[in-house]
Amino acid sequence: MTTASLLTAARLAMRELRSGLQGFWILMICLFLGVGAIAIVGGLSAAIKRGIADQGQPLLGGDVEFSFIHREIADDERAFLEKAGTISTVATLRAMASANSNRSLVEIKAIDDHYPLYGQLTLTGNGTFSEALAERAGRRGVIAEPTLMNRLGIEVGDLIKVGEAEFEVRGAIDHEPDRVSDGFILGPRLLMSRAALDATDLVKPGSLVRWRYRIKIAGDNSPEAMRGLINAAKTAFPDAGWRIRNRDRAAPG
């Protein structure tokens, strides 16, 4: 840099300093705000990761989930997964429910006897969901979200029709531990047993049903064992077409 350039730079610097430290304080405030924003975002990200790590099992409903759209799991695929631990089967689909001349879109979740593998499904009031879903006097029960009951104008004990079957509403959902893992939901939840789902006659070739198979790994359920199961499943069934999620990725996506 030449002497003339240095002199020009010095003149410009002196001109900027005529207003005192006003510009300097603006710079410092911007720096403080920037550093603070980065710290807040970093802390929030770390908190979310800790939350998923601590609650990943109940949020997902298992250690690992294998899911299909349209088809159920094949016998050889199920036999392979059963060697890893306990399997809970969950089927989800959308349908229309009606009662008292009212209709509403619902998100059906059909569960088995092993559900939930982690966490706890609770109802408002007394009673357990297994009792509520049982067959009584030839009629099966379902559990509905309060939102659905309000839309249809029904209460516990009333009847609701879904597909080709009519059910008795025996409870209202208070807490569904794995709801977040189902992703975007258009309608209120209606919980039923697999036998009740079969009675609706909604499951047909081409029906948009997602079949989810959650695994509670027996014995060592460490991250290494979890990854080992996933890799072994991909190797054994490379063309299965299933979507695989683990408890560290419980959120939908």
Side-chain angles (χ1 to χ4, degrees):
M1 182 177 293
T2 63
T3 302
S5 298
L6 289 174
L7 291 175
T8 301
R11 283 199 304 271
L12 291 174
M14 292 299 296
R15 184 183 301 171
E16 293 297 326
L17 288 175
R18 289 175 184 174
S19 59
L21 296 177
Q22 182 178 358
F24 175 77
W25 287 118
I26 293 176
L27 173 63
M28 293 301 296
I29 291 172
C30 291
L31 287 175
F32 283 130
L33 290 175
V35 172
I38 293 173
I40 291 172
V41 171
L44 180 60
S45 175
I48 293 174
K49 290 180 179 179
R50 286 196 302 269
I52 293 178
D54 294 339
Q55 299 296 323
Q57 290 169 322
L59 290 178
L60 180 65
D63 294 310
V64 185
E65 178 189 88
F66 298 80
S67 64
F68 304 89
I69 295 182
H70 300 304
R71 79 171 180 93
E72 296 187 61
I73 195 169
D75 291 340
D76 56 343
E77 295 166 341
R78 187 178 186 92
F80 175 86
L81 296 181
E82 284 177 342
K83 296 177 182 178
T86 304
I87 298 179
S88 174
T89 303
V90 175
T92 56
L93 71 156
R94 297 185 179 99
M96 296 299 297
S98 61
N100 299 331
S101 300
N102 298 318
R103 293 169 61 84
S104 174
L105 177 71
V106 295
E107 297 277 353
I108 295 175
K109 174 181 279 188
I111 61 175
D112 63 5
D113 294 336
H114 293 139
Y115 176 89
L117 295 174
Y118 295 100
Q120 185 176 6
L121 174 70
T122 58
L123 312 182
T124 56
N126 298 323
T128 64
F129 73 91
S130 58
E131 295 173 344
L133 300 182
E135 183 176 356
R136 301 176 192 166
R139 193 184 299 278
R140 298 186 180 277
V142 294
I143 306 170
E145 268 193 313
T147 302
L148 176 61
M149 299 172 69
N150 292 334
R151 288 183 183 178
L152 298 180
I154 58 177
E155 298 177 350
V156 173
D158 291 341
L159 299 181
I160 182 173
K161 186 175 181 181
V162 183
E164 300 299 322
E166 199 170 49
F167 305 100
E168 179 183 356
V169 178
R170 297 196 182 132
I173 299 174
D174 177 58
H175 174 66
E176 183 184 352
D178 57 335
R179 182 183 178 89
V180 68
S181 67
D182 289 346
F184 182 65
I185 295 178
L186 292 176
R189 175 74 75 207
L190 185 67
L191 200 69
M192 61 178 62
S193 66
R194 172 62 192 275
L197 176 62
D198 292 339
T200 65
D201 200 30
L202 292 172
V203 181
K204 299 177 180 180
S207 297
L208 191 60
V209 184
R210 180 172 287 278
W211 298 94
R212 306 171 188 270
Y213 301 88
R214 280 87 177 264
I215 315 298
K216 184 177 183 179
I217 299 176
D220 178 19
N221 66 345
S222 63
E224 292 75 17
M226 182 176 64
R227 287 191 291 268
L229 171 61
I230 294 173
N231 292 333
K234 290 179 178 179
T235 301
F237 305 98
D239 301 319
W242 48 29
R243 185 180 72 164
I244 304 175
R245 293 189 296 171
N246 61 60
R247 61 179 184 255
D248 294 332
R249 296 181 178 272

